[in-house]
Every structure is written in structure tokens, then in C-alpha cells.
Amino acid sequence: MPISIASWNINSIRLRQNSVRKFLKTANPDILCLQETKCIDELLPLSVFEKLGYQYAASRGQKSYNGVLTLSKREIKKTSFLDMCGKGDARHVCIELMDGLKIHNFYIPAGGDIPDTKLNEKFNHKINFIEELKEKIFSHQQKKTVILGDFNIAPLPDDVWSHKALLNVVSHTEQETTLLRELMEKGKWVDVFRKHFPSGKLYSWWSYRARDWKISNRGRRLDHIWASPDLAKKSKECKIYSNIRGWDRPSDHVPILSVF
DNA sequence: ATGGTAGGTCTCCTA
């Protein structure tokens, strides 16, 4: 039985609960992983999603900042959390389904403006976060596992509107893209979007600061779905819902979806 | 090279 899994940085779940409903109705994924919910667990509008068939949820909420939430139509056997860098940030939640499939929902730090670990503590945090994933969490190859979310890194030249213009911009520096590639290679993770679309521009985020996001089209692919090799073989389809960036009061990220 | 917008709020911090 196929399973469809989506990821979306929603930038406030309470402000955009109607957008989430609309997306769930049209795309109908089995699982939706949200990032930047900016909401404590007690205030999540979960009943709204229950009515649409998402009876199971796993959340790590936080007031004002971060926050991850995974909605599921399928029963969740186990939920776990990682406290990356020991900061207590709500940036990860993992669910395990009845068949043993594990889905890690991550919100990797954005990293601030200056791409220098000595001058910018936020960039240092981002680098340490990914180092920790590489050295401790995913240091060995895994099976039946999906890692997804807002990674805040556009790894390939075709993941940004201008490779040259963004080489010194946080999200596309060589330090970040090299580290992400090392993490990927260490666990033999497969970027399922690039499996289906090996070349050509792909974006999942467009800045709020453009006069017209569609006309300027200065996007970046910051959101990713990675699968362990056994699962990646069964990857059937990948979609980016770019049109959602044009909805009323949109998030700056759009949903991405994979079918296995 | 610069400055542009959005969300939640500890009216500033984060993205």
C-alpha cells in the first residue's frame, strides 16, 4: 500500500490553519510534517485536522519560535524527540508507524546573516546541529527511515536562482553544502526529489521581501525529503506545490510531497 | 550595494 508524505514550513500554524486544511483536502497526504508552528502543544488546533481524518499527531511545540508537528492518518506506534545541541529548542519530532516506518521531522536552524561561525553564534549553531546529526544521530546506515523538513540549506547549484550570487549567502555557502553532502553520504541517504528530477531549477521557498515572488522568482530549495536506500527504491512520485506560494497570506515555504 | 516583508511578541527577536 503506497504512503504519501508531505513537509511544509507553515510559519505559524494558528494563523494558517485554514491553509493547512485546504492543502490536506487537495493533496490528501497520509502524513504531513509541519515546521515553525510557533505554538505550544496545548494551543494547537488539532481538532480541525482530526475532522479531516488526521486522528494521530506528534508535536514538540514552543512559544513564539520553532515548533514541529506531524499529523498522521495512520496509527503512530511511538514518538520520540531529539534535543539537538542541548538547547531545548523544539526542532525535531520522530514518529514510528505500526509497520516500522520511521519519519524524522526536522527544523534545522536558519543560521542568521553572516556565514562565519566565529562572528555569528546562529551560524555556529546551524553548523553544530548538522555536525551532531552526522556524528551522533545518523552516523550509521538505517532502514525504513525518512528524514525530512526545513533544512535551511539549498545544496545544489540548481537549488538556487543564482549559484554565483548566493555562494556567500547563508543557506548556500560551501561550508553548509559540503557538510550536508557529508551527512547524506555517511548514511547513504537519497534525496528523492533529485532522484526524480536530477537537473533543472527546483525551489520550495521564496522570500517575503520580493515585490512579486513569481515575477522575480528568486527561489531556493530549502525543504527536503530524504529516504534510506531500501525505501528510496520504492519512491514513486515527488511534487512541489509552488502555486500555494500565491495563496492569500502565504507562508514563505510551500509544501513538498513524496509517494513511496 | 542596498533594503526590502512577515509573525509572534519579553514594542524586539526571529526568519
Side-chain angles (χ1 to χ4, degrees), chain A residues 13-184:
Chain A
I13 183 74
R14 283 176 293 174
L15 190 70
R16 270 179 268 283
Q17 53 177 285
N18 281 329
S19 300
V20 174
R21 279 178 57 199
K22 201 168 149 190
F23 172 69
L24 290 174
K25 281 186 190 170
T26 53
N28 194 31
D30 294 296
I31 311 278
L32 173 60
C33 298
L34 297 162
Q35 302 87 33
E36 275 206 273
T37 52
K38 297 184 172 177
C39 181
I40 56 170
D41 294 341
E42 293 73 23
L43 296 177
L44 287 171
L46 291 182
S47 61
V48 166
F49 310 126
E50 276 165 22
K51 285 184 192 118
L52 294 174
Y54 296 84
Q55 299 177 54
Y56 304 95
S59 168
R60 182 108 200 273
Q62 186 179 333
K63 191 181 176 183
S64 300
Y65 305 107
N66 312 317
V68 284
L69 166 66
T70 301
L71 301 173
S72 175
K73 288 186 169 187
R74 301 198 186 176
E75 187 178 351
I76 296 172
K77 183 162 77 181
K78 214 159 81 185
T79 298
S80 61
F81 311 100
L82 287 166
D83 180 16
M84 302 296 297
C85 304
K87 286 174 77 90
D89 281 354
R91 293 182 179 274
H92 169 268
V93 60
C94 179
I95 62 165
E96 186 178 333
L97 301 179
M98 301 311 281
D99 62 2
L101 178 69
K102 287 195 194 86
I103 302 167
H104 290 270
N105 177 359
F106 277 106
Y107 174 48
I108 294 181
D113 291 329
I114 304 160
D116 186 313
T117 54
K118 289 188 186 75
L119 298 177
N120 176 7
E121 183 41 46
K122 288 183 207 162
F123 191 71
N124 189 46
H125 178 210
K126 183 179 198 174
I127 295 299
N128 288 338
F129 192 106
I130 303 163
E131 287 278 4
E132 195 172 321
L133 289 180
K134 189 180 109 186
E135 302 304 332
K136 294 186 195 161
I137 316 300
F138 299 120
S139 56
H140 59 290
Q141 212 183 311
Q142 305 193 4
K143 283 183 180 169
K144 272 190 130 172
T145 302
V146 173
I147 311 179
L148 59 73
D150 177 3
F151 291 4
N152 268 312
I153 294 177
L156 302 169
D158 266 356
D159 294 333
V160 290
W161 63 276
S162 167
H163 175 58
K164 204 180 149 195
L166 292 177
L167 264 176
N168 201 33
V169 173
V170 172
S171 74
H172 195 60
T173 63
E174 209 181 308
Q175 189 176 4
E176 292 164 273
T177 58
T178 300
L179 187 54
L180 198 67
R181 195 183 322 114
E182 286 168 359
L183 167 64
M184 182 178 235

Side-chain angles (χ1 to χ4, degrees), chain A residues 217-241:
Chain A
N217 197 26
R218 294 184 167 187
R220 301 178 205 171
R221 189 171 70 104
L222 303 179
D223 303 274
H224 303 274
I225 298 178
W226 289 3
S228 55
D230 55 323
L231 255 181
K233 275 190 282 185
K234 302 179 187 172
S235 163
K236 300 282 178 239
E237 194 189 346
C238 285
K239 271 195 209 177
I240 301 181
Y241 290 79

Side-chain angles (χ1 to χ4, degrees), chain A residues 244-255:
Chain A
I244 290 182
R245 186 63 178 78
W247 283 4
D248 243 23
R249 290 263 246 163
S251 164
D252 44 356
H253 296 252
V254 297

